[in-house]
Amino acid sequence: MSAKVNDDLLTERRKCEFNVEELTNYLDGGAQATQNRRKLEDKVLSTKGLFDEVPEEYLSHKEKYENAVRKAVVYYKAMKEAEDPNQTEQERANATYRSLLHAAVFKDNSPFSLHLAMFIPAILGQADEEQKKYWMKRASKMEIIGTYAQTELGHGTFIRGLETTATYDPKTEEFVLHSPTLTAYKWWPGSLAHTANYCVVMAHLYINGKSCGIQPFIVQFRDEETHQPLPGIKLGEIGAKLGFNTVNNGFLGFDQHRIPRNRMLMKNAQVLKDGTFKRSPNSKLTYGTMVYVRVVIVNGMANQLARAVTIAVRYSAVRRQSELKPDAGEPQILDYVTQQHKLFIGIASSHAFTLTAKWLTRMYQKVTADLEKGNLDELPELHAIACCLKAVTTTDTSVLVERSRTSCGGHGYMLSSNLPQIYGLVTAACTYEGENTVLMLQTARSLVKALEQAQSGKRLSPTMSYLSEKVSSRLKWDNSIDGIVKGFRRVAYGKVESAMRSMRKYVRSGLGPEDAWNMSSVQLVAASEYTSISEADIRQLQDTYEDLLGKIRPNAVGLVDAFDFRDQILNSTLGAYDGRVYERLMEEALKSPLNAEPVNQSFHKYLKPFMQGKL
Ligand SMILES: CC/C=C\C/C=C\C/C=C\C/C=C\C/C=C\C/C=C/C(=O)SCCNC(=O)CCNC(=O)[C@H](O)C(C)(C)COP(=O)(O)OP(=O)(O)OC[C@H]1O[C@@H](n2cnc3c(N)ncnc32)[C@H](O)[C@@H]1OP(=O)(O)O
Ligand SMILES: Cc1cc2nc3c(=O)[nH]c(=O)nc-3n(C[C@H](O)[C@H](O)[C@H](O)COP(=O)(O)OP(=O)(O)OC[C@H]3O[C@@H](n4cnc5c(N)ncnc54)[C@H](O)[C@@H]3O)c2cc1C
């Protein structure tokens, strides 16, 4: 018999003014997609051995990893078996697009995540047809487990500064991989330490002493039978982190490690047997895997943020605290407008990121199809947009997840709420796949170029077209959506123009272009991410805003119910559908090993002699 649902949550659900299932269907891409997702979740989550006997937080660092590998093999097998052979690729993609199934199994991400998130995309995007056929067969069947090894101890952002070398030896038709310094060691790749046995390595190619730029190589680094590191390979784990502690991030050093010529992924650039180098049509095509993952991250942020606000809004409907009016009893904390302000932006942002992710994915698919036909025209715009949206969505999601945590008071600080772990997952994305400041500066680079083109009368790409609108600075905008958008476009234009004026001022003062860029870089980042509107209009918008909060209030629980996260995926004492918060907090607390006995052994060993002055 299912447990009794909290009365306040029942009331909230009765108050809701819209059809929750309809919104769920919309988010999934239709009623059938909702059904497919639920069917997949039912199948996979009914698999034995997927969940923890002891809560992960009470395991050691090593036990956490070993437990995660145990679950990863069960999970991956269950996912494979749950695949419906009659489903189209698109239906399968839709069923997983919104599902955070892995979050029900791994609070801190899977040791296989890089295999699926980067190793396979790198093969698909960087291998020639013959290589793709061979490696995809092995990788898709998990005969091998891979990762993506680009970052080094000494370099993450500056890819052209990577020190790992790949020197072509025409006599043996091999590449010699070498880490000339400690800072050249690959450092950070997920699964690298003890899980994977292959990786795509980004290394500096040299032929006859000449630099041929950064190229991708598929490298085996562990024996497939014994899992021992191969000769000339130094491997290890980089240590405990804020989060991602079951992702097994590692380090790898090469000592004159030889690989066959056909291990360089040769879709874009090629090395012939005699050492002839055939250059890529665009050297940045090698960076394609990063563009792909940045696109995926935007959708991932939408889902993770939705999970956090679901937990916080349901808890805020159950938690009663303080006194809003004398003798009126303790109100639900969701009735405080400050609480609504903290949480409703998170609901709206998750929807905004979902729609943005869909738009960006379509743009990525179009540009990738064009690249296949040799048309690179829209690659720069895709790069700029992917950089901006990855940076903005990860920054905003980190802020909003942390705000969801602090809006739940002390209970939000409990690991059993799962809000700290969700924060650990999303805040990592501000750094990986391109540190956010660096990516915003990439976008700024495109904005400055676009404004210069606009000022010389050239046509701009659709996403930059606001820079060619001669919008009057005395524009008055109203509270309509159109008016607000016009206002934001006007201010965004002003930010880019101001940054450019600043750079020109520095150049006139005698600085070189690079120093002028650096001196203006704070403004350049603001131009890429930040748009604010002038003081006078904030008051007008503020009234509208507070009015909107009131309109959302009766529907808040319905809006998060529509995300349709089952309890196992929320994995939270505060966010369960039935709202039995206090019973769950106690149930989880009693699982602490410290509660197995009333007096801990440290009393007799340390406390008692200490208090009796015997230590
Ligand atoms: C479970 C997780 C929970 C929540 C998260 C949800 C979803 C996540 C989904 C998947 C992830 C899950 C698991 C994986 C977790 C972690 C994996 C992490 C992997 C990594 O971090 S891999 C390493 C990533 N590293 C980087 O991104 C490095 C960033 N640096 C760069 O990109 C370049 O160095 C930089 C900054 C662009 C500068 O390079 P460079 O100096 O050479 O370029 P310039 O600035 O001079 O520009 C030259 C020219 O080239 C253009 N350009 C640059 N980059 C690109 C590109 N990628 N594509 C196209 N064009 C590019 C640039 O615009 C210039 O053009 P111009 O001269 O102006 O015409
Ligand atoms: C959880 C996690 C997982 C990861 N997984 C992988 C993986 O699987 N594979 C992989 O290859 N890498 C991985 N990484 C590494 C990640 O890609 C790098 O950390 C990232 O690219 C940043 O590089 P860095 O750490 O060397 O920082 P740096 O590049 O040294 O940056 C440090 C600071 O300097 C600033 N800075 C640097 N350059 C500039 C500039 N030009 N202008 C202005 N400011 C600048 C940055 O903004 C930042 O604040 C992972 C990282 C994390 C945190």
Side-chain angles (χ1 to χ4, degrees):
M1 204 258 286
S2 59
K4 183 177 173 315
V5 177
N6 171 277
D7 289 338
D8 284 325
L9 273 184
L10 281 174
T11 307
E12 294 291 336
R13 286 168 180 146
R14 273 198 291 273
K15 271 191 316 194
C16 184
E17 297 160 341
F18 68 94
N19 181 320
V20 170
E21 184 68 8
E22 266 177 26
L23 180 53
T24 300
N25 295 162
Y26 167 76
L27 287 171
D28 280 318
Q32 185 57 52
T34 298
Q35 199 182 329
N36 292 343
R37 173 177 56 77
R38 286 173 177 162
K39 207 167 106 192
L40 177 71
E41 290 174 354
D42 286 341
K43 261 188 185 176
V44 172
L45 296 182
S46 62
T47 309
K48 291 209 176 342
L50 262 192
F51 301 105
D52 301 328
E53 286 89 36
V54 176
E56 217 172 59
E57 41 267 26
Y58 297 117
L59 300 178
S60 70
H61 182 68
K62 185 164 173 288
E63 287 165 335
K64 275 182 194 160
Y65 167 68
E66 290 160 350
N67 182 48
V69 174
R70 176 189 66 77
K71 292 189 290 184
V73 297
V74 173
Y75 176 70
Y76 191 82
K77 203 161 152 285
M79 283 294 279
K80 271 290 174 200
E81 283 162 8
E83 269 179 15
D84 175 351
N86 306 319
Q87 259 181 348
T88 64
E89 256 322 292
Q90 191 52 53
E91 282 171 335
R92 199 167 296 150
N94 287 346
T96 49
Y97 195 76
R98 258 196 3 98
S99 178
L100 281 181
L101 254 175
H102 63 275
V105 184
F106 308 99
K107 272 190 166 179
D108 211 5
N109 211 355
S110 159
F112 287 5
S113 51
L114 264 294
H115 180 79
L116 305 171
M118 292 203 79
F119 182 65
I120 287 182
I123 294 169
L124 291 173
Q126 305 291 326
D128 64 25
E129 286 313 309
E130 190 187 334
Q131 292 172 324
K132 205 186 297 185
K133 194 156 162 269
Y134 175 79
W135 291 107
M136 277 312 292
K137 186 163 153 288
R138 300 206 70 198
S140 55
K141 288 163 68 181
M142 296 292 276
E143 286 174 11
I144 60 174
I145 297 179
T147 182
Y148 181 85
Q150 174 174 297
T151 303
E152 294 172 354
L153 191 55
H155 287 92
T157 291
F158 192 50
I159 302 175
R160 283 184 290 144
L162 292 175
E163 296 176 78
T164 301
T165 55
T167 308
Y168 185 61
D169 179 351
K171 287 192 295 304
T172 61
E173 295 181 23
E174 291 174 319
F175 294 103
V176 182
L177 289 173
H178 188 60
S179 309
T181 60
L182 175 64
T183 50
Y185 273 49
K186 291 302 177 186
W187 185 279
W188 270 111
S191 320
L192 182 66
H194 301 87
T195 318
N197 48 11
Y198 283 81
C199 61
V200 169
V201 174
M202 300 299 275
H204 206 137
L205 172 62
Y206 289 91
I207 302 175
N208 302 325
K210 188 169 165 298
S211 161
C212 299
I214 302 294
Q215 302 298 338
F217 300 84
I218 189 158
V219 182
Q220 179 182 358
F221 57 87
R222 281 185 181 273
D223 180 284
E224 288 194 29
E225 281 309 308
T226 65
H227 212 48
Q228 285 295 337
L230 296 181
I233 298 275
K234 295 187 196 77
L235 274 175
E237 199 233 358
I238 65 170
K241 305 172 289 281
L242 185 156
F244 267 59
N245 281 300
T246 48
V247 174
N248 196 227
N249 301 86
F251 63 77
L252 184 158
F254 293 107
D255 182 7
Q256 308 297 343
H257 181 71
R258 286 178 170 268
I259 59 174
R261 182 177 66 91
N262 68 3
R263 294 295 171 90
M264 175 174 144
L265 297 180
M266 298 204 202
K267 176 179 180 181
N268 297 311
Q270 295 82 37
V271 174
L272 307 184
K273 287 183 180 175
D274 64 357
T276 307
F277 178 61
K278 297 183 77 177
R279 199 164 286 284
S280 161
N282 174 326
S283 65
K284 300 306 176 190
L285 287 171
T286 314
Y287 296 174
T289 308
M290 292 182 283
V291 180
Y292 166 73
V293 181
R294 289 167 190 160
V295 171
V296 171
I297 286 170
V298 176
N299 180 56
M301 290 299 112
N303 291 339
Q304 295 292 350
L305 178 54
R307 196 158 65 117
V309 288
T310 298
I311 294 168
V313 166
R314 284 181 178 166
Y315 175 69
S316 300
V318 170
R319 182 70 166 180
R320 287 179 172 272
Q321 198 66 205
S322 308
E323 211 176 54
L324 201 55
K325 285 176 256 176
D327 309 323
E330 292 193 84
Q332 293 164 284
I333 57 176
L334 199 52
D335 285 335
Y336 292 113
V337 175
T338 49
Q339 193 81 354
Q340 295 166 22
H341 170 63
K342 288 180 207 170
L343 297 179
F344 294 176
I345 292 177
I347 299 175
S349 300
S350 173
H351 286 295
F353 295 167
T354 296
L355 295 171
T356 305
K358 287 188 170 136
W359 173 83
L360 183 60
T361 303
R362 285 195 297 274
M363 180 183 189
Y364 175 81
Q365 287 163 345
K366 182 196 176 296
V367 172
T368 307
D370 289 351
L371 293 179
E372 291 302 314
K373 297 173 214 149
N375 172 3
L376 286 73
D377 296 351
E378 292 183 25
L379 179 60
E381 183 182 25
L382 173 65
H383 167 58
I385 292 286
C387 283
C388 174
L389 291 176
K390 180 270 183 189
V392 167
T393 55
T394 53
T395 300
D396 286 6
T397 299
S398 299
V399 168
L400 292 166
V401 168
E402 175 60 357
R403 195 179 295 168
S404 297
R405 180 188 71 75
T406 55
S407 74
C408 296
H411 301 330
Y413 193 68
M414 296 295 294
L415 291 182
S416 70
S417 76
N418 206 12
L419 287 167
Q421 290 90 323
I422 294 173
Y423 177 73
L425 286 177
V426 299
T427 195
C430 291
T431 305
Y432 66 62
E433 226 45 77
E435 194 281 327
N436 282 357
T437 304
V438 164
L439 296 187
M440 294 316 288
L441 289 168
Q442 281 295 297
T443 305
R445 189 182 168 119
S446 301
L447 288 171
V448 166
K449 245 193 275 178
L451 186 53
E452 284 165 347
Q453 287 164 355
Q455 288 168 347
S456 55
K458 287 195 187 127
R459 270 175 59 80
L460 298 184
S461 65
T463 55
M464 305 277 180
S465 60
Y466 70 93
L467 292 173
S468 49
E469 287 161 8
K470 287 275 169 279
V471 183
S472 146
S473 57
R474 285 182 299 289
L475 170 92
K476 285 311 293 167
W477 57 68
D478 54 34
N479 275 359
S480 70
I481 300 293
D482 187 45
I484 294 168
V485 169
K486 265 207 191 88
F488 275 112
R489 290 167 79 101
R490 173 71 194 90
V491 175
Y493 175 94
K495 290 272 178 197
V496 181
E497 197 186 35
S498 149
M500 262 179 68
R501 248 187 283 112
S502 165
M503 281 195 290
R504 287 175 181 156
K505 177 196 71 182
Y506 284 117
V507 169
R508 280 197 304 276
S509 73
L511 284 188
E514 296 78 9
D515 289 331
W517 172 271
N518 193 25
M519 287 304 292
S520 311
S521 53
V522 174
Q523 289 190 64
L524 286 162
V525 169
S528 304
E529 69 184 10
Y530 179 75
T531 50
S532 63
I533 48 182
S534 58
E535 182 55 38
D537 301 278
I538 281 207
R539 270 196 302 284
Q540 228 183 323
L541 277 180
Q542 193 66 38
D543 301 342
T544 309
Y545 174 65
E546 283 154 0
D547 174 46
L548 276 177
L549 290 176
K551 284 193 167 61
I552 292 170
R553 171 64 189 88
N555 298 298
V557 170
L559 282 167
V560 296
D561 284 351
F563 288 130
D564 198 35
F565 290 122
R566 55 186 70 205
D567 288 351
Q568 293 120 311
I569 289 180
L570 292 174
N571 223 329
S572 168
T573 46
L574 308 187
Y577 189 81
D578 63 15
R580 294 173 55 250
V581 170
Y582 301 116
E583 296 82 348
R584 291 175 188 279
L585 279 167
M586 181 53 83
E587 282 157 21
E588 282 307 303
L590 293 175
K591 290 179 187 171
S592 165
L594 274 175
N595 288 325
E597 57 209 353
V599 178
N600 182 273
Q601 59 172 348
S602 57
F603 172 75
H604 302 289
K605 272 167 90 172
Y606 309 111
L607 272 181
K608 188 173 177 183
F610 169 71
M611 292 193 287
Q612 292 173 352
K614 292 174 184 158
L615 266 189

